[in-house]
Amino acid sequence: MSYWDSSALVKLYVQELDSAEFRELAVKASRMATGSLTRHEVRTVFRRGEVEGVLPSGEAAALYDELTADIAAADIVIQPETADTEREFGAVLEAFFSQTPPTFIRTNDAVHLASAKVAQRWHVEVEMFEDAAWGAMGFFHESSGVGTLTMSLVPSPSELSNEFAGGKDTMRN
C-alpha cells in the first residue's frame, strides 16, 4: 500500500497528461492510503473543474461518488487524524520552516506528509511542489513522469527494526 495525496488521486478520476502513469501506479499499489482531508480536497477539485468547464455538468457528483465507492470498497484507505498526526504535523512544520532560508509549505501538504508518516507508508505519490526540506523529513524523491514526484520515506533504523520485528512488510510498494 502506498500513500497518495489529493492531487495524485484526482488523476485517477479526471484525465490529465500523466493520468495513465498514475493509473498504472494505482494498479501496482492495489490499495492506497490517504489522509482524511483528501475527500474534501478532491471534491473541491471536481466541483471547480465543473464550474471552470473542464468537466461536464453533473460530472463532479458522479466522480465524487466513484471516490466514495473506492473508499467504501477499501481500495482507498483513509488515514484518520490522531494525536500522532498532530505531532508529526508539528515536526513537518519545524523541518520546513527551520531551513535557512525557510522553505514554505502549504498547510494541506504538511497534513499529507504528517499523515503519510503516521500511516508508515514508505512510498508516497504526490504532485511535485517545493522539495528543499524533504530530506529533513526523511524523504528522498525521484521523478516519475510529467510534473509528478514519487516520494519515498526513509525510516530510521529503529523504525525498520520495529516493523520487521512485528513481521510486517510495510516497505512494499
Side-chain angles (χ1 to χ4, degrees):
M1 185 179 327
S2 58
Y3 186 93
W4 290 54
D5 79 348
S6 302
S7 62
L9 280 175
V10 164
K11 295 170 189 302
L12 302 179
Y13 300 92
V14 177
Q15 185 60 41
E16 296 183 10
L17 289 175
D18 51 356
S19 288
E21 179 183 358
F22 277 82
R23 286 186 186 103
E24 184 178 312
L25 290 168
V27 169
K28 289 178 186 175
S30 72
R31 286 183 10 167
M32 298 162 278
T34 194
S36 59
L37 179 65
T38 298
R39 284 182 285 209
H40 308 297
E41 286 183 313
V42 171
R43 188 175 192 177
T44 301
V45 170
F46 293 160
R47 186 64 180 110
R48 180 177 174 172
E50 208 176 75
V51 169
E52 291 177 339
V54 175
L55 297 173
S57 180
E59 188 71 9
L63 292 173
Y64 186 70
D65 288 346
E66 283 183 48
L67 173 70
T68 56
D70 288 343
I71 292 168
D75 294 332
I76 299 172
V77 178
I78 300 295
Q79 170 66 33
E81 287 197 35
T82 63
D84 289 338
T85 311
E86 180 65 25
R87 185 187 68 252
E88 288 297 339
F89 179 78
V92 169
L93 293 181
E94 285 307 309
F96 276 73
F97 291 130
S98 65
Q99 302 291 308
T100 305
T103 301
F104 298 103
I105 183 169
R106 296 174 294 204
T107 302
N108 292 356
D109 292 331
V111 170
H112 279 294
L113 285 176
S115 296
K117 287 195 79 171
V118 169
Q120 296 183 359
R121 302 296 172 224
W122 309 118
H123 186 74
V124 182
E125 301 298 338
V126 298
E127 190 168 0
M128 192 179 322
F129 68 97
E130 305 85 4
D131 66 349
W134 285 85
M137 285 304 304
F139 287 89
F140 68 92
H141 71 279
E142 59 188 71
S143 176
S144 64
V146 179
T148 65
L149 198 63
T150 298
M151 305 302 293
S152 294
L153 174 61
V154 182
S156 70
S158 65
E159 288 173 315
L160 274 177
S161 63
N162 289 341
E163 285 302 312
F164 290 112
K168 298 178 191 171
D169 180 11
T170 57
M171 296 297 289
R172 244 186 37 196
N173 293 344

Coordinates of all heavy atoms in Angstrom, one line a residue, residues 46-141:
F46 N -13.1 18.5 -8.1 CA -14.1 18.1 -9.0 C -15.1 19.2 -9.3 O -15.4 19.5 -10.5 CB -14.9 16.9 -8.5 CG -14.1 15.6 -8.4 CD1 -14.5 14.6 -7.6 CD2 -12.9 15.4 -9.1 CE1 -13.8 13.4 -7.5 CE2 -12.2 14.2 -9.0 CZ -12.6 13.2 -8.2
R47 N -15.6 19.8 -8.3 CA -16.6 20.9 -8.4 C -16.0 22.1 -9.2 O -16.7 22.7 -10.0 CB -17.2 21.3 -7.1 CG -18.3 22.3 -7.2 CD -19.5 21.6 -7.9 NE -20.6 22.6 -7.9 CZ -21.0 23.2 -9.0 NH1 -20.5 22.9 -10.2 NH2 -22.0 24.2 -8.9
R48 N -14.8 22.4 -8.8 CA -14.1 23.6 -9.5 C -14.0 23.2 -11.0 O -14.2 24.1 -11.9 CB -12.8 23.8 -8.9 CG -12.1 25.0 -9.6 CD -10.8 25.3 -8.9 NE -10.1 26.3 -9.6 CZ -9.0 26.9 -9.2 NH1 -8.4 26.6 -8.1 NH2 -8.4 27.8 -10.0
G49 N -13.6 22.0 -11.3 CA -13.5 21.6 -12.7 C -14.8 21.8 -13.5 O -14.8 22.2 -14.6
E50 N -15.9 21.5 -12.8 CA -17.2 21.6 -13.4 C -17.5 23.1 -13.7 O -17.9 23.5 -14.8 CB -18.3 21.0 -12.5 CG -19.5 20.5 -13.1 CD -20.4 19.9 -12.1 OE1 -21.1 20.6 -11.4 OE2 -20.5 18.6 -12.1
V51 N -17.2 23.9 -12.7 CA -17.5 25.4 -12.8 C -16.6 26.0 -13.9 O -17.1 26.9 -14.6 CB -17.3 26.1 -11.4 CG1 -17.3 27.6 -11.6 CG2 -18.3 25.7 -10.5
E52 N -15.4 25.5 -14.0 CA -14.5 26.1 -15.0 C -14.7 25.5 -16.4 O -14.0 25.9 -17.3 CB -13.0 25.8 -14.6 CG -12.6 26.6 -13.3 CD -11.2 26.3 -12.9 OE1 -10.6 25.2 -13.2 OE2 -10.6 27.2 -12.2
G53 N -15.6 24.6 -16.5 CA -15.9 24.0 -17.8 C -15.0 22.9 -18.2 O -15.1 22.4 -19.4
V54 N -14.1 22.4 -17.4 CA -13.2 21.3 -17.7 C -14.0 20.0 -17.6 O -13.7 19.0 -18.3 CB -12.0 21.3 -16.7 CG1 -11.1 20.1 -16.9 CG2 -11.2 22.6 -16.8
L55 N -14.9 19.9 -16.7 CA -15.8 18.7 -16.5 C -17.2 19.1 -16.9 O -17.7 20.2 -16.7 CB -15.8 18.3 -15.1 CG -14.5 17.8 -14.5 CD1 -14.6 17.5 -13.0 CD2 -14.0 16.5 -15.2
P56 N -17.9 18.2 -17.5 CA -19.3 18.5 -17.9 C -20.2 18.6 -16.7 O -19.9 18.1 -15.6 CB -19.7 17.3 -18.8 CG -18.7 16.2 -18.6 CD -17.5 16.9 -18.0
S57 N -21.3 19.3 -16.8 CA -22.3 19.5 -15.7 C -22.7 18.1 -15.2 O -23.0 17.2 -15.9 CB -23.5 20.2 -16.3 OG -24.4 20.4 -15.2
G58 N -22.7 18.0 -13.8 CA -23.1 16.8 -13.2 C -21.9 15.8 -12.9 O -22.1 14.8 -12.2
E59 N -20.8 16.0 -13.6 CA -19.7 15.1 -13.5 C -19.0 15.1 -12.1 O -18.5 14.1 -11.6 CB -18.6 15.4 -14.6 CG -17.5 14.4 -14.7 CD -17.9 13.1 -15.3 OE1 -19.1 13.0 -15.8 OE2 -17.1 12.2 -15.3
A60 N -19.0 16.3 -11.5 CA -18.4 16.4 -10.1 C -19.0 15.4 -9.2 O -18.3 14.7 -8.4 CB -18.5 17.8 -9.6
A61 N -20.3 15.4 -9.1 CA -21.0 14.5 -8.2 C -20.8 13.0 -8.6 O -20.6 12.2 -7.7 CB -22.5 14.7 -8.3
A62 N -20.8 12.7 -9.9 CA -20.5 11.3 -10.3 C -19.1 10.9 -9.9 O -18.9 9.7 -9.4 CB -20.7 11.2 -11.8
L63 N -18.1 11.7 -10.1 CA -16.7 11.4 -9.8 C -16.6 11.3 -8.3 O -15.9 10.4 -7.8 CB -15.8 12.5 -10.3 CG -15.6 12.5 -11.8 CD1 -14.8 13.8 -12.2 CD2 -15.0 11.3 -12.4
Y64 N -17.2 12.1 -7.5 CA -17.2 12.0 -6.1 C -17.8 10.7 -5.6 O -17.3 10.1 -4.7 CB -17.8 13.2 -5.4 CG -17.7 13.2 -3.9 CD1 -16.4 13.4 -3.3 CD2 -18.7 12.9 -3.0 CE1 -16.2 13.4 -2.0 CE2 -18.6 12.9 -1.7 CZ -17.3 13.2 -1.1 OH -17.1 13.1 0.2
D65 N -18.9 10.3 -6.2 CA -19.5 9.0 -5.9 C -18.5 7.9 -6.2 O -18.5 6.9 -5.4 CB -20.8 8.8 -6.7 CG -21.9 9.7 -6.2 OD1 -21.8 10.3 -5.1 OD2 -22.9 9.8 -6.9
E66 N -17.8 7.9 -7.3 CA -16.7 6.9 -7.6 C -15.7 6.9 -6.5 O -15.3 5.8 -6.0 CB -16.1 7.2 -8.9 CG -16.8 6.9 -10.1 CD -16.0 7.1 -11.4 OE1 -14.9 6.7 -11.5 OE2 -16.6 7.8 -12.3
L67 N -15.2 8.0 -6.1 CA -14.2 8.1 -5.0 C -14.8 7.5 -3.7 O -14.1 6.7 -3.1 CB -13.8 9.6 -4.7 CG -12.9 9.8 -3.5 CD1 -11.5 9.2 -3.8 CD2 -12.8 11.3 -3.2
T68 N -16.0 7.9 -3.3 CA -16.5 7.3 -2.1 C -16.8 5.8 -2.2 O -16.6 5.1 -1.2 CB -17.8 8.1 -1.6 OG1 -18.8 8.0 -2.7 CG2 -17.5 9.5 -1.3
A69 N -17.1 5.3 -3.4 CA -17.2 3.9 -3.6 C -15.9 3.2 -3.4 O -15.8 2.1 -2.8 CB -17.8 3.6 -5.0
D70 N -14.8 3.8 -3.9 CA -13.5 3.2 -3.8 C -13.1 3.2 -2.3 O -12.4 2.3 -1.9 CB -12.5 4.0 -4.6 CG -12.7 3.7 -6.1 OD1 -13.3 2.7 -6.5 OD2 -12.1 4.5 -6.9
I71 N -13.5 4.2 -1.6 CA -13.2 4.3 -0.1 C -14.0 3.2 0.6 O -13.4 2.4 1.4 CB -13.4 5.7 0.4 CG1 -12.4 6.7 -0.1 CG2 -13.4 5.6 2.0 CD1 -12.8 8.1 0.2
A72 N -15.2 3.1 0.2 CA -16.1 2.0 0.9 C -15.6 0.6 0.6 O -15.7 -0.3 1.4 CB -17.5 2.2 0.4
A73 N -15.0 0.4 -0.6 CA -14.5 -0.9 -1.0 C -13.1 -1.1 -0.4 O -12.5 -2.2 -0.7 CB -14.5 -1.0 -2.5
A74 N -12.6 -0.2 0.3 CA -11.2 -0.2 0.9 C -10.1 -0.3 -0.2 O -9.0 -0.7 0.1 CB -11.1 -1.4 1.8
D75 N -10.4 0.2 -1.4 CA -9.4 0.4 -2.4 C -8.5 1.6 -2.0 O -7.3 1.7 -2.3 CB -9.9 0.6 -3.8 CG -10.6 -0.7 -4.3 OD1 -10.3 -1.8 -3.9 OD2 -11.6 -0.5 -5.1
I76 N -9.2 2.5 -1.3 CA -8.5 3.7 -0.8 C -8.8 3.7 0.7 O -10.0 3.7 1.1 CB -9.0 5.0 -1.4 CG1 -8.8 5.0 -2.9 CG2 -8.4 6.2 -0.8 CD1 -9.4 6.2 -3.7
V77 N -7.8 3.7 1.5 CA -7.9 3.6 3.0 C -7.6 5.0 3.5 O -6.6 5.7 3.2 CB -6.9 2.6 3.6 CG1 -7.0 2.6 5.1 CG2 -7.1 1.3 3.0
I78 N -8.6 5.6 4.3 CA -8.4 6.9 4.9 C -7.7 6.8 6.2 O -8.0 6.0 7.1 CB -9.8 7.5 5.2 CG1 -10.6 7.7 3.9 CG2 -9.7 8.8 5.9 CD1 -10.0 8.6 2.9
Q79 N -6.6 7.5 6.3 CA -5.7 7.6 7.5 C -6.4 8.6 8.4 O -6.4 9.8 8.1 CB -4.3 8.0 7.1 CG -3.4 8.3 8.3 CD -3.2 7.1 9.2 OE1 -3.1 6.0 8.7 NE2 -3.0 7.4 10.5
P80 N -6.9 8.2 9.5 CA -7.6 9.2 10.4 C -6.6 10.2 11.1 O -5.4 9.8 11.2 CB -8.3 8.3 11.5 CG -7.5 7.1 11.5 CD -6.9 6.9 10.1
E81 N -7.1 11.3 11.4 CA -6.2 12.3 12.1 C -6.2 11.9 13.6 O -7.3 11.7 14.2 CB -6.7 13.7 11.9 CG -6.4 14.2 10.5 CD -6.4 15.7 10.3 OE1 -6.1 16.4 11.3 OE2 -6.8 16.1 9.2
T82 N -5.0 11.8 14.1 CA -4.9 11.4 15.5 C -3.9 12.3 16.2 O -3.4 13.3 15.6 CB -4.3 10.0 15.6 OG1 -3.0 10.0 15.0 CG2 -5.2 9.0 14.9
A83 N -3.7 12.1 17.5 CA -2.7 12.9 18.2 C -1.3 12.7 17.6 O -0.5 13.6 17.5 CB -2.6 12.5 19.7
D84 N -1.0 11.5 17.0 CA 0.2 11.3 16.3 C 0.3 12.1 15.1 O 1.4 12.6 14.7 CB 0.4 9.8 15.9 CG 0.6 8.9 17.1 OD1 1.1 9.4 18.2 OD2 0.3 7.7 17.0
T85 N -0.8 12.3 14.4 CA -0.8 13.1 13.2 C -0.5 14.6 13.6 O 0.3 15.3 12.9 CB -2.2 13.1 12.5 OG1 -2.6 11.7 12.3 CG2 -2.1 13.8 11.1
E86 N -1.1 15.0 14.6 CA -0.8 16.4 15.1 C 0.7 16.6 15.5 O 1.3 17.6 15.1 CB -1.7 16.7 16.3 CG -1.5 18.1 16.9 CD -1.9 19.2 15.9 OE1 -2.8 19.0 15.1 OE2 -1.4 20.3 16.1
R87 N 1.2 15.6 16.1 CA 2.7 15.7 16.5 C 3.5 15.7 15.2 O 4.5 16.5 15.1 CB 3.0 14.5 17.4 CG 4.5 14.5 17.9 CD 4.9 13.3 18.6 NE 5.0 12.1 17.7 CZ 4.2 11.1 17.7 NH1 3.2 11.0 18.5 NH2 4.3 10.2 16.8
E88 N 3.2 14.8 14.3 CA 4.0 14.8 13.1 C 3.8 16.1 12.2 O 4.8 16.5 11.6 CB 3.7 13.6 12.2 CG 4.2 12.3 12.8 CD 5.7 12.2 12.8 OE1 6.4 12.9 12.1 OE2 6.2 11.3 13.6
F89 N 2.6 16.6 12.3 CA 2.4 17.9 11.6 C 3.3 19.0 12.1 O 3.9 19.7 11.4 CB 0.9 18.3 11.8 CG 0.6 19.6 11.1 CD1 0.3 19.7 9.8 CD2 0.5 20.8 11.9 CE1 0.0 20.9 9.2 CE2 0.1 22.0 11.3 CZ -0.1 22.0 9.9
G90 N 3.5 19.0 13.4 CA 4.4 20.0 14.0 C 5.8 19.7 13.6 O 6.6 20.7 13.3
A91 N 6.2 18.4 13.5 CA 7.6 18.1 13.1 C 7.8 18.5 11.6 O 8.9 19.0 11.2 CB 7.8 16.6 13.2
V92 N 6.8 18.3 10.8 CA 6.9 18.8 9.4 C 7.1 20.3 9.3 O 8.0 20.7 8.6 CB 5.6 18.4 8.6 CG1 5.6 19.0 7.2 CG2 5.5 16.8 8.4
L93 N 6.3 21.0 10.0 CA 6.4 22.5 10.0 C 7.8 22.9 10.5 O 8.5 23.7 9.8 CB 5.4 23.1 10.9 CG 3.9 23.0 10.5 CD1 3.1 23.8 11.5 CD2 3.7 23.5 9.1
E94 N 8.3 22.3 11.5 CA 9.7 22.6 12.0 C 10.7 22.3 11.0 O 11.7 23.1 10.8 CB 10.0 21.9 13.3 CG 9.3 22.5 14.5 CD 9.5 24.0 14.7 OE1 10.7 24.4 14.6 OE2 8.5 24.7 14.8
A95 N 10.6 21.1 10.4 CA 11.6 20.7 9.4 C 11.6 21.7 8.2 O 12.7 22.1 7.7 CB 11.3 19.3 8.8
F96 N 10.5 22.2 7.7 CA 10.4 23.1 6.6 C 10.8 24.5 7.0 O 11.6 25.1 6.3 CB 9.1 23.0 6.0 CG 8.9 21.9 5.0 CD1 8.8 20.6 5.4 CD2 8.9 22.2 3.6 CE1 8.6 19.6 4.5 CE2 8.7 21.1 2.7 CZ 8.6 19.8 3.2
F97 N 10.3 25.0 8.1 CA 10.5 26.4 8.4 C 11.8 26.7 9.1 O 12.2 27.8 9.2 CB 9.3 26.9 9.3 CG 8.0 27.0 8.6 CD1 6.9 26.5 9.1 CD2 8.0 27.7 7.3 CE1 5.7 26.6 8.4 CE2 6.8 27.8 6.6 CZ 5.6 27.3 7.2
S98 N 12.5 25.6 9.6 CA 13.8 25.8 10.3 C 14.9 25.8 9.3 O 16.1 26.0 9.7 CB 14.0 24.8 11.4 OG 14.1 23.5 10.9
Q99 N 14.6 25.6 8.0 CA 15.7 25.7 7.0 C 16.2 27.1 6.9 O 15.5 28.0 7.2 CB 15.1 25.2 5.6 CG 14.6 23.8 5.6 CD 15.6 22.8 5.8 OE1 16.6 22.8 5.1 NE2 15.4 21.9 6.7
T100 N 17.4 27.2 6.4 CA 18.0 28.6 6.1 C 18.2 28.6 4.6 O 19.1 28.0 4.1 CB 19.3 28.8 6.9 OG1 19.0 28.6 8.3 CG2 19.8 30.2 6.7
P101 N 17.5 29.4 3.9 CA 16.3 30.2 4.2 C 15.2 29.2 4.5 O 15.2 28.1 4.0 CB 16.1 31.1 3.0 CG 16.6 30.4 1.9 CD 17.8 29.6 2.4
P102 N 14.1 29.7 5.1 CA 13.0 28.8 5.4 C 12.3 28.3 4.1 O 12.3 29.0 3.1 CB 12.0 29.7 6.2 CG 12.6 31.0 6.3 CD 13.9 31.0 5.6
T103 N 11.8 27.1 4.1 CA 11.1 26.6 3.0 C 9.6 26.6 3.4 O 9.3 26.1 4.4 CB 11.5 25.1 2.7 OG1 12.9 25.1 2.4 CG2 10.7 24.5 1.5
F104 N 8.8 27.3 2.6 CA 7.4 27.4 2.9 C 6.7 26.2 2.4 O 6.9 25.7 1.3 CB 6.9 28.7 2.3 CG 7.5 29.9 2.9 CD1 8.5 30.6 2.2 CD2 7.3 30.3 4.2 CE1 9.2 31.7 2.8 CE2 7.9 31.4 4.8 CZ 8.9 32.0 4.1
I105 N 5.7 25.7 3.2 CA 4.9 24.6 2.8 C 3.5 24.9 3.1 O 3.1 25.6 4.0 CB 5.3 23.3 3.6 CG1 4.5 22.1 3.2 CG2 5.2 23.5 5.1 CD1 5.0 20.8 3.7
R106 N 2.6 24.5 2.2 CA 1.2 24.7 2.3 C 0.6 23.8 3.5 O 1.1 22.7 3.7 CB 0.4 24.5 1.0 CG 0.9 25.4 -0.1 CD 0.2 25.1 -1.4 NE 0.8 23.8 -1.8 CZ 0.8 23.4 -3.1 NH1 0.3 24.1 -4.0 NH2 1.3 22.2 -3.4
T107 N -0.4 24.3 4.2 CA -0.9 23.5 5.3 C -1.4 22.1 4.8 O -1.0 21.2 5.5 CB -2.2 24.3 5.9 OG1 -1.7 25.6 6.3 CG2 -2.8 23.6 7.0
N108 N -2.1 22.1 3.7 CA -2.6 20.8 3.3 C -1.5 19.8 3.0 O -1.6 18.6 3.2 CB -3.6 20.9 2.2 CG -4.9 21.6 2.6 OD1 -5.1 21.9 3.7 ND2 -5.7 21.9 1.6
D109 N -0.4 20.3 2.4 CA 0.8 19.5 2.1 C 1.4 18.9 3.3 O 1.8 17.8 3.4 CB 1.8 20.2 1.2 CG 1.3 20.5 -0.2 OD1 0.4 19.8 -0.7 OD2 1.7 21.5 -0.7
A110 N 1.5 19.8 4.3 CA 2.1 19.4 5.6 C 1.2 18.3 6.3 O 1.7 17.4 6.9 CB 2.2 20.6 6.6
V111 N -0.1 18.5 6.2 CA -1.0 17.5 6.7 C -0.9 16.1 6.0 O -0.8 15.1 6.7 CB -2.5 17.9 6.7 CG1 -3.5 16.8 7.0 CG2 -2.8 19.1 7.6
H112 N -0.7 16.2 4.7 CA -0.5 14.9 4.0 C 0.8 14.3 4.4 O 0.9 13.0 4.5 CB -0.5 15.2 2.4 CG -1.9 15.3 1.9 ND1 -2.8 14.2 1.9 CD2 -2.6 16.3 1.3 CE1 -3.9 14.5 1.3 NE2 -3.8 15.8 1.0
L113 N 1.9 15.0 4.5 CA 3.2 14.4 4.9 C 3.1 13.8 6.3 O 3.6 12.7 6.6 CB 4.3 15.5 4.9 CG 4.8 15.9 3.5 CD1 5.8 17.0 3.6 CD2 5.4 14.7 2.8
A114 N 2.4 14.5 7.2 CA 2.2 14.0 8.6 C 1.4 12.7 8.5 O 1.8 11.7 9.2 CB 1.6 15.1 9.5
S115 N 0.4 12.7 7.8 CA -0.5 11.5 7.6 C 0.3 10.3 7.1 O 0.2 9.2 7.5 CB -1.7 11.8 6.8 OG -2.5 12.8 7.4
A116 N 1.1 10.6 6.1 CA 1.9 9.5 5.5 C 2.9 9.0 6.5 O 3.1 7.7 6.5 CB 2.7 10.1 4.2
K117 N 3.5 9.8 7.3 CA 4.4 9.3 8.3 C 3.7 8.5 9.3 O 4.2 7.4 9.7 CB 5.2 10.5 8.9 CG 6.3 11.0 7.9 CD 7.3 11.9 8.6 CE 8.3 11.0 9.3 NZ 9.4 11.7 9.8
V118 N 2.6 9.0 9.8 CA 1.8 8.2 10.8 C 1.4 6.9 10.3 O 1.4 5.9 10.9 CB 0.7 9.1 11.4 CG1 -0.3 8.2 12.2 CG2 1.2 10.3 12.1
A119 N 0.9 6.9 9.0 CA 0.4 5.7 8.4 C 1.6 4.7 8.1 O 1.4 3.5 7.8 CB -0.3 6.0 7.1
Q120 N 2.8 5.2 8.2 CA 4.0 4.5 7.9 C 4.0 3.9 6.5 O 4.3 2.7 6.3 CB 4.3 3.4 9.0 CG 4.5 4.0 10.3 CD 4.8 2.9 11.4 OE1 4.8 1.7 11.1 NE2 5.0 3.4 12.6
R121 N 3.6 4.7 5.6 CA 3.6 4.3 4.2 C 4.9 4.9 3.6 O 5.0 6.1 3.5 CB 2.4 4.8 3.4 CG 1.1 4.3 4.0 CD 1.0 2.8 3.9 NE -0.2 2.4 4.7 CZ -0.3 1.4 5.5 NH1 0.8 0.6 5.7 NH2 -1.4 1.1 6.1
W122 N 5.8 4.0 3.3 CA 7.1 4.5 2.9 C 7.2 5.0 1.5 O 8.2 5.4 1.0 CB 8.1 3.3 3.1 CG 8.0 2.7 4.5 CD1 7.7 1.4 4.8 CD2 8.2 3.3 5.7 NE1 7.7 1.2 6.1 CE2 8.0 2.4 6.7 CE3 8.5 4.6 6.1 CZ2 8.1 2.7 8.1 CZ3 8.7 4.9 7.5 CH2 8.4 3.9 8.4
H123 N 6.1 4.8 0.7 CA 6.1 5.2 -0.7 C 4.9 6.2 -0.8 O 3.8 5.8 -0.5 CB 5.9 4.0 -1.5 CG 6.1 4.3 -3.0 ND1 7.2 4.5 -3.6 CD2 5.1 4.3 -3.9 CE1 7.0 4.7 -4.9 NE2 5.7 4.6 -5.1
V124 N 5.2 7.4 -1.3 CA 4.2 8.4 -1.3 C 4.1 9.0 -2.7 O 5.1 9.3 -3.3 CB 4.5 9.6 -0.4 CG1 3.5 10.7 -0.4 CG2 4.8 9.1 1.0
E125 N 2.9 9.0 -3.3 CA 2.7 9.6 -4.6 C 2.1 11.0 -4.4 O 1.1 11.2 -3.8 CB 1.7 8.8 -5.4 CG 2.0 7.3 -5.7 CD 3.3 7.2 -6.5 OE1 3.7 8.1 -7.2 OE2 3.9 6.1 -6.3
V126 N 2.8 12.0 -4.9 CA 2.4 13.3 -4.8 C 2.7 14.1 -6.1 O 3.5 13.6 -6.9 CB 3.1 14.1 -3.6 CG1 2.8 13.5 -2.3 CG2 4.6 14.2 -3.9
E127 N 2.0 15.2 -6.3 CA 2.3 16.0 -7.4 C 3.4 16.9 -6.9 O 3.5 17.3 -5.8 CB 1.1 16.9 -7.8 CG 1.3 17.6 -9.1 CD 0.0 18.2 -9.6 OE1 -1.0 18.0 -9.0 OE2 0.1 18.8 -10.7
M128 N 4.4 17.3 -7.8 CA 5.6 18.0 -7.5 C 5.3 19.4 -6.9 O 4.4 20.1 -7.4 CB 6.5 18.1 -8.7 CG 7.9 18.6 -8.3 SD 9.0 18.8 -9.7 CE 8.6 17.5 -10.7
F129 N 5.9 19.7 -5.8 CA 5.9 21.0 -5.2 C 7.2 21.2 -4.5 O 8.1 20.5 -4.7 CB 4.7 21.3 -4.3 CG 4.7 20.5 -3.1 CD1 5.2 21.0 -1.9 CD2 4.3 19.1 -3.0 CE1 5.2 20.3 -0.7 CE2 4.3 18.4 -1.9 CZ 4.7 19.0 -0.7
E130 N 7.4 22.3 -3.8 CA 8.6 22.6 -3.1 C 9.2 21.4 -2.4 O 8.6 20.7 -1.7 CB 8.4 23.7 -2.1 CG 7.8 25.0 -2.6 CD 6.2 24.9 -2.6 OE1 5.7 23.9 -2.1 OE2 5.6 25.8 -3.1
D131 N 10.5 21.2 -2.7 CA 11.1 19.9 -2.1 C 12.4 20.2 -1.3 O 13.1 19.2 -1.0 CB 11.3 18.9 -3.1 CG 12.4 19.3 -4.2 OD1 12.8 20.5 -4.2 OD2 12.8 18.4 -4.9
A132 N 12.8 21.4 -1.0 CA 14.0 21.7 -0.3 C 14.2 21.0 1.1 O 15.3 20.7 1.5 CB 14.2 23.2 -0.2
A133 N 13.1 20.8 1.8 CA 13.2 20.3 3.1 C 12.8 18.8 3.2 O 12.7 18.3 4.3 CB 12.4 21.2 4.1
W134 N 12.5 18.2 2.1 CA 12.0 16.8 2.2 C 13.0 15.9 2.8 O 12.7 15.0 3.6 CB 11.7 16.3 0.8 CG 10.4 16.8 0.2 CD1 10.3 18.0 -0.5 CD2 9.2 16.2 0.2 NE1 9.0 18.2 -0.9 CE2 8.3 17.1 -0.4 CE3 8.7 15.1 0.8 CZ2 6.9 16.8 -0.6 CZ3 7.3 14.8 0.6 CH2 6.5 15.7 0.0
G135 N 14.3 16.1 2.5 CA 15.4 15.3 3.2 C 15.3 15.4 4.7 O 15.5 14.4 5.4
A136 N 15.0 16.6 5.2 CA 15.0 16.8 6.7 C 13.8 16.0 7.3 O 13.9 15.6 8.4 CB 14.8 18.3 7.0
M137 N 12.8 15.7 6.5 CA 11.7 14.9 6.9 C 11.9 13.4 6.7 O 11.1 12.6 7.1 CB 10.4 15.3 6.2 CG 9.8 16.6 6.6 SD 9.5 16.7 8.4 CE 8.4 15.3 8.6
G138 N 13.1 13.0 6.1 CA 13.3 11.6 5.9 C 12.8 11.1 4.6 O 12.7 9.9 4.4
F139 N 12.5 12.0 3.6 CA 12.1 11.6 2.3 C 13.2 11.8 1.3 O 13.9 12.8 1.4 CB 10.8 12.4 1.9 CG 9.6 12.1 2.6 CD1 9.2 12.7 3.8 CD2 8.7 11.2 2.1 CE1 8.1 12.5 4.4 CE2 7.5 10.9 2.7 CZ 7.2 11.5 3.9
F140 N 13.2 11.0 0.3 CA 14.0 11.3 -0.9 C 13.1 11.2 -2.1 O 12.0 10.7 -1.9 CB 15.2 10.4 -1.0 CG 14.9 9.0 -1.4 CD1 14.8 8.5 -2.7 CD2 14.7 8.1 -0.3 CE1 14.5 7.2 -3.0 CE2 14.4 6.7 -0.6 CZ 14.3 6.3 -2.0
H141 N 13.5 11.8 -3.2 CA 12.5 11.8 -4.3 C 13.2 11.4 -5.6 O 14.4 11.5 -5.8 CB 11.8 13.1 -4.4 CG 12.7 14.2 -5.0 ND1 13.6 14.9 -4.2 CD2 12.8 14.7 -6.2 CE1 14.2 15.8 -4.9 NE2 13.8 15.7 -6.1

